[in-house]
mmCIF file of all heavy atoms in Angstrom:
data_model
loop_
_atom_site.group_PDB
_atom_site.id
_atom_site.type_symbol
_atom_site.label_atom_id
_atom_site.label_comp_id
_atom_site.label_asym_id
_atom_site.label_seq_id
_atom_site.Cartn_x
_atom_site.Cartn_y
_atom_site.Cartn_z
ATOM 1 N N ILE A 6 -6.496 6.483 9.446
ATOM 2 C CA ILE A 6 -6.724 5.649 10.616
ATOM 3 C C ILE A 6 -7.859 6.257 11.437
ATOM 4 O O ILE A 6 -7.867 7.458 11.688
ATOM 5 C CB ILE A 6 -5.448 5.574 11.493
ATOM 6 C CG1 ILE A 6 -4.251 5.096 10.664
ATOM 7 C CG2 ILE A 6 -5.677 4.687 12.718
ATOM 8 C CD1 ILE A 6 -4.393 3.738 10.015
ATOM 9 N N PHE A 28 -9.212 3.242 6.553
ATOM 10 C CA PHE A 28 -9.985 3.546 5.353
ATOM 11 C C PHE A 28 -9.125 4.425 4.454
ATOM 12 O O PHE A 28 -8.019 4.799 4.826
ATOM 13 C CB PHE A 28 -11.327 4.220 5.703
ATOM 14 C CG PHE A 28 -11.215 5.518 6.450
ATOM 15 C CD1 PHE A 28 -11.240 6.732 5.777
ATOM 16 C CD2 PHE A 28 -11.081 5.538 7.840
ATOM 17 C CE1 PHE A 28 -11.139 7.932 6.474
ATOM 18 C CE2 PHE A 28 -10.974 6.743 8.537
ATOM 19 C CZ PHE A 28 -11.008 7.934 7.844
ATOM 20 N N GLU A 54 -11.621 17.025 11.637
ATOM 21 C CA GLU A 54 -10.818 16.082 12.433
ATOM 22 C C GLU A 54 -9.363 16.449 12.163
ATOM 23 O O GLU A 54 -8.850 16.193 11.076
ATOM 24 C CB GLU A 54 -11.077 14.626 12.001
ATOM 25 C CG GLU A 54 -12.489 14.141 12.300
ATOM 26 C CD GLU A 54 -12.649 12.625 12.103
ATOM 27 O OE1 GLU A 54 -11.676 11.967 11.688
ATOM 28 O OE2 GLU A 54 -13.765 12.134 12.371
ATOM 29 N N GLU A 56 -5.481 15.952 12.403
ATOM 30 C CA GLU A 56 -4.673 14.735 12.562
ATOM 31 C C GLU A 56 -3.207 15.011 12.191
ATOM 32 O O GLU A 56 -2.920 15.831 11.330
ATOM 33 C CB GLU A 56 -5.218 13.630 11.638
ATOM 34 C CG GLU A 56 -6.743 13.517 11.790
ATOM 35 C CD GLU A 56 -7.359 12.244 11.274
ATOM 36 O OE1 GLU A 56 -6.620 11.377 10.788
ATOM 37 O OE2 GLU A 56 -8.600 12.137 11.378
ATOM 38 N N ASP A 85 -9.085 15.622 8.297
ATOM 39 C CA ASP A 85 -9.914 14.579 7.697
ATOM 40 C C ASP A 85 -11.362 15.070 7.841
ATOM 41 O O ASP A 85 -12.023 14.788 8.845
ATOM 42 C CB ASP A 85 -9.655 13.266 8.454
ATOM 43 C CG ASP A 85 -10.708 12.208 8.205
ATOM 44 O OD1 ASP A 85 -11.400 12.271 7.179
ATOM 45 O OD2 ASP A 85 -10.835 11.301 9.067
ATOM 46 N N LYS A 106 -16.362 10.275 3.832
ATOM 47 C CA LYS A 106 -14.972 10.530 4.218
ATOM 48 C C LYS A 106 -14.062 10.906 3.057
ATOM 49 O O LYS A 106 -12.997 11.489 3.284
ATOM 50 C CB LYS A 106 -14.394 9.241 4.850
ATOM 51 C CG LYS A 106 -14.835 8.960 6.274
ATOM 52 C CD LYS A 106 -14.108 9.851 7.255
ATOM 53 C CE LYS A 106 -14.159 9.342 8.681
ATOM 54 N NZ LYS A 106 -13.443 10.275 9.598
ATOM 55 N N THR A 175 -7.755 11.235 14.788
ATOM 56 C CA THR A 175 -8.020 12.526 15.437
ATOM 57 C C THR A 175 -8.186 12.381 16.941
ATOM 58 O O THR A 175 -8.745 11.381 17.415
ATOM 59 C CB THR A 175 -9.295 13.176 14.842
ATOM 60 O OG1 THR A 175 -9.433 14.519 15.341
ATOM 61 C CG2 THR A 175 -10.563 12.400 15.225
HETATM 62 ZN ZN1 LIG B 1 -10.063 10.957 10.972
#
Side-chain angles (χ1 to χ4, degrees):
I6 305 301
F28 60 95
E54 294 191 357
E56 312 197 1
D85 164 22
K106 283 284 198 181
T175 188

